[in-house]
Amino acid sequence: MNFGQRLGIALSAFVAFAVGAIAVTSLLLGDNPAIFNNQPGSERAAELLALPGDVLLRLVVIVISLSVVIGIANLLYVHVGRVARGKVYSGALLASFGVAIFWHLTRQGDPSLLEAVQLPIESSLAALLFVSLVAGASRVMQKRADVWGLLFVAVVVLVLLASVPLAELAPLRAWRDWLMRVPVSAGARAFLLGIAMATVVTGQRVLLGQDRSYRG
Amino acid sequence: MTESMIALLSFVLTLMVFSYLLGDLPLIGNLYRLAVYIFIGMSAAFTLIVGTESVILPYMQDVLDPETTWTSLGSRADTYIFLAALLVALLLLLKPVRSLTWLTNSVFAVVIVVSASVAVVGALTGTLFPLLHSTAALPDDILTDFDAMVDTLLIFLGTMTALYYFHYQTRLDSEGAPAQSRMGSGLRHVGKVFLVIALGAIYASTILSSLTILTERISFLFQFGA
């Protein structure tokens, strides 16, 4: 690695650290006059503190939306190449893309293409999920016949049976409601807290320059 | 497009997707793939339309309109922000050029770091603090309502032990092998009970949601057939 490359890495790390520090400070503390003890001029100071975060956020939103456009252009470019090699499915993809754009340009506000094509495919794919989930649940007991597999399947069966509108199954509904209110709530809180903590840890690694995925 | 045309297209596309259930048969197996490719093409088109019309065009209109401003810096600052964003996007396109890596990496770093900042601040203020507060908060009727007290304690115990389940630190025993304390192992088992129950309930809820959609699709197919 030569001096120029090292300098480039140091520069990108410095930019990342500086921008990260400004963005986190601004987003976390901005627009909050209380941190200045509501002294005279604290409104203006809070507004100024929020300004860098606001500017950076606007900048990144525009860049990300432009990146989406670039990504779609790349998708089309790849599939044009595949059509040239005789791939029929890519032709269908390009045709459906073209039809949707043409439809939007010529009949703005008409949602019938969305209703006729997009919604049926989306909902049919979601319906197929039922088959996969039921097959997965049945395999749990084949692959993992222990107390945890049994508990998992018992909860699944209890929640499913409690959803059946039969008077005979009413006692199960009380069980299901308690299950949802207490153990499921506790487990879900733990998952959400875990995800949030992992996000904070991963984010601070990026902000401190320990994780430099932007080097590519 | 007429109602009957919409229904016919929906019918055909639904059958094409459901052909997946028949397996990889000649011709029939291709119908599912065809439907998925149509779906991807149309999703890309709608994403492009929404991205352009909801973000890029309104921002361009704001930039051109001197009456509107995004920040307290005034309308001219909007123009600079927009031009800077265009420049950044252009520089991202130059990533394959090796001699400009230092520049494109720095620009890419800004995008990644601002996204990470938003994620960190969002996770802290939107999830972590409110959830910790609500988990540790006691209900008003805790002293009079025994059930509420037990439920609150169970939720607290469940949340803490479920979080402890993901704690993998061990100590070396007398023989130098890594081992977890009995208490730690017990807490992890309690946490696992809560996690398995939560996963089971989420799984069942997902089954119910997909079953509802499947019922709707099948009833549509029968209605169209009739």
Side-chain angles (χ1 to χ4, degrees), chain B residues 90-126:
Chain B
L90 197 70
L91 285 171
L92 289 179
L93 281 175
L94 296 176
K95 193 137 175 72
V97 181
R98 289 187 72 91
S99 57
L100 289 175
T101 308
W102 62 275
L103 184 62
T104 51
N105 279 351
S106 299
V107 166
F108 199 43
V110 173
V111 178
I112 297 276
V113 160
V114 174
S115 308
S117 308
V118 172
V120 167
V121 174
L124 280 174
T125 57

Side-chain angles (χ1 to χ4, degrees), chain A residues 8 11-12 15-16 19-20 23-24 27-28 47 51 54-55 57-63 65-66 68-70 72 75 79 82 89-90 92-93 96-97 100-101 103-104 107-108 112-118 120-128 130-131 133 136-137 144 148 151-152 155-156 159-160 163 178-184 186-194 196-197 199-200 203-204 206-207 214-215, chain B residues 1 6 9-10 13-14 17-18 20-21 30 32-35 37-49 53 55-56 59 70-73 81-82 84-86 88-89 92-93 95 102 105-106 108-114 116-121 123-124 127-128 131-132 134-135 151 154-155 158-159 162-163 189 192-201 203-208 210-211 213-214 217:
Chain A
L11 180 73
S12 55
V15 169
V19 171
V24 168
L27 291 171
L28 210 56
E47 208 175 88
L51 189 64
D54 202 12
V55 170
L57 217 55
R58 298 258 177 200
L59 186 90
V60 169
V61 166
I62 299 170
V63 172
S65 57
L66 288 169
V68 170
V69 174
I70 294 168
I72 290 169
L75 176 86
H79 282 279
R82 283 169 60 99
Y89 297 118
S90 294
L93 186 147
S96 64
F97 180 87
I101 295 290
W103 190 271
H104 178 74
R107 303 173 189 209
Q108 278 205 332
S112 48
L113 191 68
L114 195 78
E115 287 169 17
V117 180
Q118 191 81 358
I121 298 181
E122 268 182 32
S123 52
S124 304
L125 287 171
L128 276 187
F130 171 77
V131 180
L133 289 174
R144 197 181 169 142
W148 303 113
L151 179 63
F152 179 82
V155 172
V156 172
V159 174
L160 289 179
S163 305
W178 180 83
L179 213 63
M180 289 292 189
R181 207 174 56 246
V182 182
V184 174
R189 276 165 201 248
F191 279 128
L192 288 173
L193 284 170
M197 284 193 277
T199 307
V200 172
Q204 70 84 21
V206 173
L207 294 173
Y214 44 82
R215 275 167 59 180
Chain B
M1 204 183 288
I6 292 174
L9 265 174
S10 302
L13 288 167
T14 304
V17 175
F18 282 172
Y20 175 80
L21 296 171
N30 297 342
Y32 173 75
R33 287 187 72 186
L34 190 63
Y37 272 76
I38 291 171
F39 175 66
I40 295 168
M42 215 150 263
S43 300
F46 286 124
T47 309
L48 183 67
I49 291 164
E53 294 198 343
V55 184
I56 299 171
Y59 272 51
W70 299 329
T71 61
S72 54
L73 295 175
I81 295 171
F82 194 79
L86 286 180
V88 168
L92 289 179
L93 281 175
K95 193 137 175 72
W102 62 275
N105 279 351
S106 299
F108 199 43
V110 173
V111 178
I112 297 276
V113 160
V114 174
S117 308
V118 172
V120 167
V121 174
L124 280 174
T127 310
L128 211 56
L131 263 182
L132 282 174
S134 68
T135 305
D151 286 356
L154 274 175
I155 289 173
T159 308
L163 276 173
H189 272 88
K192 196 171 177 182
V193 170
F194 282 92
L195 287 176
V196 169
I197 291 175
L199 285 174
Y203 197 87
S205 304
T206 316
I207 288 178
L208 282 173
S210 56
L211 179 64
I213 300 169
L214 180 68
R217 278 293 90 192

